[in-house]
Amino acid sequence: MKILSIDTSCDETAAAVVEGRRVLSNVIYSQILIHKKWGGVVPSLAKRAHEERIDLVIDEALKKNKIDYIAVTQGPGLAVALEVGIKKAKELAEKYDKKLISVNHLEGHIYSPFVQNSRGNPVREFHFPYLALVISGGHTEFVIFKNHLDYEIIGATLDDAAGEAIDKAAKLLNLGYPGGPVIEKLAGDVKNIDSYRFPRPMLKSNDLNFSFSGLKTSFYYFLKKNHNEPIKELASSFQEAVFDTIIKKTEKAIKKSGINRLIVGGGVIANLRLRQLFRNLTNQYQGEVLFPAYKYLSGDNAAMIGVVASYKAERKIFVENEEELDRIPRFSL
Ligand code: KG4
Ligand code: ZN
């Protein structure tokens, strides 16, 4: 059973063909160069770039694969960007008489550690339940992944997502967009030193929600008042404040849920410092943590969407009425 999957939720035009958990082809056209000079994603430019590239990306992903179903990210994401993928998926489904499968973008990130490459590696069985975390430019979310396609959101960011906060800090430091990789590099150069101890938001609250806008504001005022501070130490201290908050909240989530098996997906988990902090944490709780096996699976991609769709196809969960695709997607079934 082969599935063509499409994701245009933000600034990557992505298509893949998967068979079960195996990726047969995967194409990602990143728009970073288009948005870079504006310091963030510009919706109208994203829409146009998706429109210009989508046919090419899909053709390249399809190659000679004969497919059985078409899957598409329904949301959440940038509406004008999502629309491009959804429209194309509908067109193709009509033209080739294939059933459509809609996927929530967050589900994709949650399944991303289970995506296998062409040789079938890494092979991992599922051992439910998992405590799943999605940490990206758009989301910081705690989810209990109870069983296939069965989730419960137990915490989320109340304002900025972790990746967004890092991108904004990078912008204040004139480091360009996206900020994550640059900040990681600068922080690594000073061994992840935490010279300034910026505030750790929401740690006192007993819930599992995040809020990063206060940290961003205090960073802004710090920079306004203090010139000539070493940029590497600033970047490193900011990163530590974000990561320390995530790790402490995760510890809280482990204690609350009693689950010590973790899954972490989303663009920010490309960061090796954060991976190490998660490993340290789960070791402390005799647990384990799973990450996407390849870098391209951390950020936005269509392979992860296709893998979710394959579980939906097995259970015959298809889009019955195309109007469903115009609504905000439900996360759980
Ligand atoms: O998952 P993603 O590609 O898109 C969304 O769904 O949002 O995540 C993008 C985010 C950006 O904020 C980017 O700065 C961050 O992931 N990111 C990183 C790293 N690489 C990308 N953050 C920290 N360290 C990195 N190495
Ligand atoms: Zn994403």
Side-chain angles (χ1 to χ4, degrees):
M1 187 179 63
K2 291 183 185 172
I3 297 178
L4 166 70
S5 54
I6 301 168
D7 184 290
T8 60
S9 57
C10 189
D11 59 346
E12 260 96 31
T13 314
V17 175
V18 306
E19 188 166 27
R21 281 204 271 152
R22 263 181 358 128
V23 184
L24 304 183
S25 71
N26 181 67
V27 183
I28 301 172
Y29 176 77
S30 168
Q31 303 176 0
I32 280 184
L33 291 176
I34 296 173
H35 302 292
K36 213 179 176 82
K37 57 175 173 288
W38 304 101
V41 178
V42 182
S44 58
L45 296 181
K47 177 185 162 75
R48 199 200 312 160
H50 282 309
E51 284 170 345
E52 281 171 5
R53 294 285 163 165
I54 192 149
D55 286 329
L56 208 80
V57 167
I58 290 175
D59 285 349
E60 205 177 318
L62 276 175
K63 286 184 200 139
K64 292 195 177 67
N65 287 303
K66 273 193 70 134
I67 53 133
D68 301 288
Y69 301 108
I70 297 170
V72 65
T73 300
Q74 186 186 356
L78 198 61
V80 289
L82 286 163
E83 274 165 17
V84 180
I86 292 173
K87 186 166 162 244
K88 185 54 67 182
K90 283 181 185 170
E91 265 172 42
L92 293 173
E94 174 105 349
K95 188 167 166 196
Y96 297 107
D97 193 24
K98 302 289 175 202
K99 283 193 188 301
L100 270 176
I101 300 169
S102 70
V103 175
N104 182 304
H105 187 75
L106 290 177
E107 291 183 272
H109 280 301
I110 290 172
Y111 272 83
S112 63
F114 297 99
V115 177
Q116 297 176 337
N117 74 4
S118 53
R119 282 185 233 115
N121 282 323
V123 180
R124 282 178 188 138
E125 299 305 316
F126 286 83
H127 296 287
F128 294 109
Y130 293 98
L131 181 61
L133 249 117
V134 178
I135 315 174
S136 70
H139 299 276
T140 314
E141 229 123 343
F142 274 122
V143 176
I144 296 184
F145 185 19
K146 298 178 188 168
N147 208 327
H148 283 300
L149 311 177
D150 189 2
Y151 325 88
E152 182 188 343
I153 298 181
I154 55 169
T157 183
L158 303 177
D159 40 58
D160 294 354
E164 189 181 356
I166 292 173
D167 290 341
K168 285 176 179 169
K171 200 170 178 178
L172 292 173
L173 295 173
N174 289 319
L175 295 173
Y177 171 85
V182 195
I183 297 240
E184 175 175 17
K185 164 86 181 54
L186 296 181
D189 287 350
V190 289
K191 299 196 164 51
N192 302 303
I193 197 169
D194 189 7
S195 320
Y196 303 102
R197 293 287 306 174
F198 293 119
R200 272 64 168 155
M202 302 284 286
L203 283 188
K204 292 213 174 65
S205 78
N206 205 28
D207 58 31
L208 297 174
N209 293 326
F210 296 94
S211 163
F212 290 109
S213 74
L215 168 62
K216 180 191 63 191
T217 310
S218 88
F219 189 62
Y220 171 79
Y221 285 111
F222 183 87
L223 293 181
K224 257 187 117 163
K225 274 201 224 112
N226 302 277
H227 306 278
N228 306 321
E229 298 290 323
I231 190 158
K232 290 183 178 179
E233 290 185 32
L234 287 168
S236 181
S237 302
F238 188 87
Q239 180 176 276
E240 285 305 293
V242 173
F243 290 177
D244 191 31
T245 307
I246 292 173
I247 294 295
K248 296 252 166 64
K249 276 280 174 184
T250 307
E251 184 168 16
K252 206 167 263 180
I254 292 174
K255 284 184 180 157
K256 270 194 163 181
S257 66
I259 302 171
N260 63 359
R261 276 191 305 275
L262 261 64
I263 288 173
V264 192
V268 180
I269 202 56
N271 189 297
L272 299 182
R273 166 73 176 159
L274 186 57
R275 287 187 179 213
Q276 190 55 49
L277 293 172
F278 272 116
R279 278 194 211 100
N280 297 348
L281 176 70
T282 47
N283 283 342
Q284 223 178 299
Y285 286 85
Q286 286 82 45
E288 60 162 347
V289 57
L290 304 180
F291 304 118
Y294 312 101
K295 203 166 184 175
Y296 80 87
L297 290 170
S298 308
D300 287 344
N301 66 87
M304 64 185 190
I305 302 301
V307 170
V308 177
S310 72
Y311 288 94
K312 289 195 155 181
E314 258 176 37
R315 289 160 180 74
K316 306 214 177 320
I317 303 167
F318 302 113
V319 174
E320 298 300 339
N321 173 350
E322 285 194 358
E323 277 166 26
E324 277 173 45
L325 288 171
D326 302 330
R327 277 187 238 129
I328 295 175
R330 276 187 307 163
F331 187 42
S332 48
L333 297 168

